[in-house]
Amino acid sequence: MQVLHDAPLAPLTTFRLGGPATRLVTATTDDEVVAAVREADDTGTPLLIIGGGSNLVIGDKGFDGTALRIATTGFALDGTRLELAAGEIWSDAVARTVAAGLAGIECLAGIPGSAGATPIQNVGAYGQEVSGTITEVVAYDRVRRETVVLSGEECAFSYRHSRFKARPDRHVVLRVRFALEDAGGLSAPVRYAETARVLGVEAGERVPLATARETVLALRAGKGMVLDPEDHDTWSAGSFFTNPLLGPAEHEAFLARVRERLGDGVLPPAYPAADGMTKTSAAWLIDRAGFTKGYGSGPARISTKHTLALTNRGEATTEDLLALAREVVAGVRDAFGVTLVNEPVTVGVSL
């Protein structure tokens, strides 16, 4: 276990933003993770968990407490069953499952971050979510002070949400278990319209696993969603806002605002969601509210490749980023009456 004091946190995030931590602990085994958490809890020290840092916005003042970087490793396949240590690099794990001929997470290729973060956010993209394949999560329960195994159902997954996100101070993910599919080298059925169109297939069809992964990687790269140290469009947290979920009355009010602003012939994206909700596109809202690709004149700007990504152009501070985010939220609310919600976790700051 490595311990550093007054340690910079910005290099541990994909935004490359944020001040230092009073103390940074890097744990490489589950036992070290649990020991560090228990020590923080026993001494009443604030604790920040860091995996791949791809979903964090840390304030410029940093974190007054212990930052615990989970750097555990472990990739175990047993037939179609997969177990990943929390610190495993997610994109590498996806590549290895594709190479093994197993389907179920191939469309989650190129997503930055660690495996342990995926159940927290119920990570999803291009028609797949980890909730579709996660069977169990092994976690340290800070209330019961013991390691527990939670079933997929007990994780209470929903759109970009879970019990772990609802109670971030309760569980620390140690391992994640998945049930994948052997489809003879083919992918899971293609669900996402854009992916199907690029692949030249109908929704519901299967394609070779490697083709599905490579197509998703190309789509993500075209939107600046694959990490590249030389490309400031990737100095981001990926999608900064979740796609809004609207109830029936909210959706009708939203459509009325669209007609008022853009005319009768414009129909915003709409996708059926659970409990009678309708999901619309945050990227569409941002663009139609006037925040186009590359928007901004300061060191924090909207990506030149995708309106849903806010980026650090190299000299930004966290306050620069938050000022841009607040401007976008206010502009979309004024234009369409919809309040965007940030997807990354904020530390020491808020919108």
Side-chain angles (χ1 to χ4, degrees):
M1 185 186 298
Q2 182 189 67
V3 179
L4 298 174
H5 297 274
D6 195 27
L9 295 181
L12 302 181
T13 73
T14 53
F15 265 124
R16 296 164 173 82
L17 294 175
T22 305
R23 184 169 176 261
L24 172 63
V25 175
T26 298
T28 57
T29 69
D30 289 353
D31 287 344
E32 289 181 354
V33 172
V34 171
V37 174
R38 284 179 171 166
E39 180 186 12
D41 289 345
D42 288 345
T43 58
T45 303
L47 181 68
L48 170 64
I49 306 296
I50 299 179
S54 61
N55 204 45
L56 278 180
V57 178
I58 299 173
D60 292 317
K61 293 182 179 179
F63 183 70
D64 185 12
T66 295
L68 171 59
R69 178 172 172 261
I70 298 180
T72 53
T73 57
F75 178 102
L77 266 179
D78 180 10
T80 58
R81 299 283 172 170
L82 170 67
E83 180 179 280
L84 295 176
E88 279 288 327
I89 298 172
W90 175 253
S91 57
D92 292 349
V94 173
R96 292 177 70 177
T97 63
V98 170
L102 298 177
I105 57 175
E106 63 278 1
C107 290
L108 304 179
I111 293 177
S114 61
T118 60
I120 297 171
Q121 190 75 1
N122 186 17
V123 164
Y126 296 99
Q128 290 181 346
E129 290 181 329
V130 292
S131 58
T133 52
I134 288 178
T135 57
E136 293 178 331
V137 173
V138 181
Y140 176 68
D141 187 327
R142 298 171 67 183
V143 173
R144 293 169 56 180
R145 295 181 62 83
E146 63 182 10
T147 298
V148 297
V149 179
L150 301 170
S151 68
E153 184 176 343
E154 289 175 311
C155 293
F157 290 122
S158 59
Y159 173 64
R160 300 298 175 271
H161 202 68
S162 69
R163 73 179 297 166
F164 310 109
K165 191 172 182 179
R167 285 283 309 276
D169 58 344
R170 176 73 186 264
H171 294 99
V172 178
V173 176
L174 301 174
R175 297 187 170 266
V176 189
R177 294 170 179 160
F178 302 81
L180 303 178
E181 177 188 9
D182 185 348
L186 296 179
S187 69
V190 177
R191 302 296 185 195
Y192 198 69
E194 182 183 20
T195 315
R197 183 174 65 253
V198 172
L199 288 166
V201 300
E202 296 294 324
E205 291 186 39
R206 297 176 185 262
V207 299
L209 268 169
T211 301
R213 175 178 174 269
E214 290 161 7
T215 298
V216 166
L217 286 173
L219 287 169
R220 291 185 65 85
K223 299 173 183 177
M225 298 291 186
V226 177
L227 291 180
D228 179 352
E230 303 303 317
D231 182 359
H232 284 280
D233 276 330
T234 72
W235 289 32
S236 74
S239 299
F240 195 87
F241 300 103
T242 58
N243 290 321
L245 292 171
L246 306 176
E250 293 172 313
H251 190 232
E252 284 302 317
F254 166 54
L255 292 177
R257 294 287 287 270
V258 171
R259 289 192 295 270
E260 178 184 324
R261 182 180 178 89
L262 303 176
D264 292 337
V266 178
L267 290 176
Y271 310 96
D275 302 321
M277 307 285 276
T278 299
K279 181 166 66 176
T280 191
S281 166
W284 187 94
L285 288 165
I286 292 166
D287 183 73
R288 296 309 191 281
F291 303 100
T292 53
K293 295 175 184 177
Y295 178 88
S297 58
R301 303 179 195 175
I302 290 177
S303 166
T304 65
K305 300 182 180 72
H306 199 296
T307 54
L308 205 47
L310 308 188
T311 68
N312 170 13
R313 307 317 292 184
E315 300 295 332
T317 64
T318 300
E319 279 307 309
D320 293 327
L321 176 76
L322 293 176
L324 175 62
R326 292 172 187 132
E327 183 183 1
V328 171
V329 170
V332 168
R333 185 190 299 117
D334 290 345
F336 299 111
V338 175
T339 300
L340 295 176
V341 175
N342 53 290
E343 187 167 328
V345 174
T346 56
V347 178
V349 291
S350 65
L351 290 188

